[in-house]
């Protein structure tokens, strides 16, 4: 089955700094890579995704980069703000494409 | 608001009991996923339905079962409850492509 490893498990940054979270996967056939943000008391929410035919995608202060050869993709948050504090999950569809497997999550804390 | 509705929000019950969690997917979505999230744990995939049929199964216990009805809402049944079943249970829906998942706010189950 698909193994999804996410690092680090916790990350604390100063407001205005950048944050990077990395995810590695095992299935070479995977071609869709989303990131979810879960705020306290809420369900995860898709914030950005990337397909295997591109290496990077940006949306304002967040970006995702993909290295298919190395089988890893990363979430980059620039100019972090306190409201970025949350748990972030990467995810990868399983090889049969019938379910989505999530990483263990990264708890990001942005200190004002 | 993701458009996915889960009820109830909170459920407190005793060991050995049985409960039913309900999920209404976003309008037009055919797939429903169930995930379990224990304290400080990631999202564990339980089961997925597509248009009424079971499509994928994860680490779902035999004491747990689910179904998706003709109107596309889904129910997760948990029986012979144990203390360790206490967790947040999330439902998510998608259009069937197993890509963008939309999560509900979850049901917090406490087994005492």
């Amino acid at each position: 089955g698909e193994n999804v490893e996410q690092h680090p498990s916790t990350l604390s940054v100063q407001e205005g700094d950048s944050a990077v979270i990395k995810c590695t996967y095992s299935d070479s056939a995977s071609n869709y890579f989303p990131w979810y943000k879960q705020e306290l008391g809420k369900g995860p929410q898709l914030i950005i995704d990337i397909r295997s035919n591109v290496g990077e995608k940006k949306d304002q202060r967040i970006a995702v980069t993909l290295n298919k050869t190395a089988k890893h993709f990363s979430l980059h948050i620039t100019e972090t703000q306190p409201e970025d504090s949350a748990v972030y999950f990467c995810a990868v569809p399983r090889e049969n494409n019938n379910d989505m497997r999530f990483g263990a999550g990264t708890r990001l804390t942005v200190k004002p | 608001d993701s458009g996915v509705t889960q009820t109830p929000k909170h459920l407190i019950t005793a060991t050995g009991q049985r409960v039913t969690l309900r999920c209404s997917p976003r309008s037009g979505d055919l797939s429903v996923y169930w995930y379990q999230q224990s304290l400080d744990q990631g999202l564990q995939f339980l089961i997925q339905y597509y248009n009424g049929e079971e499509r994928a199964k994860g680490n779902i216990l035999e004491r747990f079962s689910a179904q998706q009805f003709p109107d596309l809402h889904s129910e997760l049944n948990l029986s012979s409850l144990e203390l360790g079943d206490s967790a947040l249970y999330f439902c998510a829906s998608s259009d069937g492509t197993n890509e963008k998942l939309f999560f509900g706010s979850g049901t917090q189950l406490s087994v005492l």
Side-chain angles (χ1 to χ4, degrees), chain A residues 41-111:
Chain A
K42 297 184 179 180
Q45 179 183 14
L46 178 68
I47 56 171
I48 195 167
D49 53 13
I50 192 170
R51 296 186 185 282
S52 57
N53 57 344
V54 297
E56 183 176 8
K57 182 177 177 181
K58 282 185 180 179
D59 182 3
Q60 299 182 338
R61 295 186 298 105
I62 61 173
V64 54
T65 57
L66 172 65
N67 184 326
K68 277 223 80 177
T69 304
K71 294 186 201 172
H72 67 72
F73 59 111
S74 299
L75 176 69
H76 305 255
I77 307 174
T78 58
E79 300 172 33
T80 53
Q81 300 169 4
E83 52 264 39
D84 294 329
S85 296
V87 179
Y88 292 82
F89 292 96
C90 62
V92 180
R94 274 191 71 192
E95 56 190 77
N96 60 8
N97 214 39
N98 283 340
D99 67 80
M100 189 77 72
R101 296 302 170 111
F102 286 78
T106 297
R107 183 175 298 279
L108 173 65
T109 302
V110 180
K111 294 179 285 188

Side-chain angles (χ1 to χ4, degrees), chain B residues 34-75:
Chain B
W34 286 98
Y35 287 86
Q36 179 192 59
Q37 186 176 44
S38 301
L39 195 63
D40 285 338
Q41 295 280 322
L43 292 154
Q44 300 298 316
F45 171 70
L46 296 178
I47 198 164
Q48 182 205 2
Y49 281 83
Y50 174 78
N51 203 21
E53 300 289 328
E54 180 184 305
R55 200 180 206 186
K57 217 166 186 175
N59 299 321
I60 187 166
L61 300 172
E62 285 192 14
R63 301 183 285 108
F64 296 0
S65 65
Q67 58 185 129
Q68 186 179 27
F69 295 87
D71 66 353
L72 301 177
H73 91 271
S74 178
E75 292 181 356

Side-chain angles (χ1 to χ4, degrees), chain B residues 22-34:
Chain B
R22 183 188 167 101
C23 169
S24 293
R26 281 193 332 154
S27 177
D29 280 355
L30 298 176
S31 278
V32 169
Y33 306 71
W34 286 98

Side-chain angles (χ1 to χ4, degrees), chain A residues 5-56:
Chain A
E5 293 190 7
Q6 183 175 341
H7 299 280
S9 56
T10 61
L11 180 59
S12 182
V13 299
Q14 207 64 41
E15 182 176 359
D17 288 350
S18 294
V20 181
I21 304 169
K22 184 174 174 179
C23 196
T24 59
Y25 60 97
S26 57
D27 182 10
S28 301
S30 299
N31 56 17
Y32 174 74
F33 307 93
W35 284 94
Y36 287 79
K37 175 184 181 182
Q38 185 178 20
E39 295 176 301
L40 195 62
K42 297 184 179 180
Q45 179 183 14
L46 178 68
I47 56 171
I48 195 167
D49 53 13
I50 192 170
R51 296 186 185 282
S52 57
N53 57 344
V54 297
E56 183 176 8

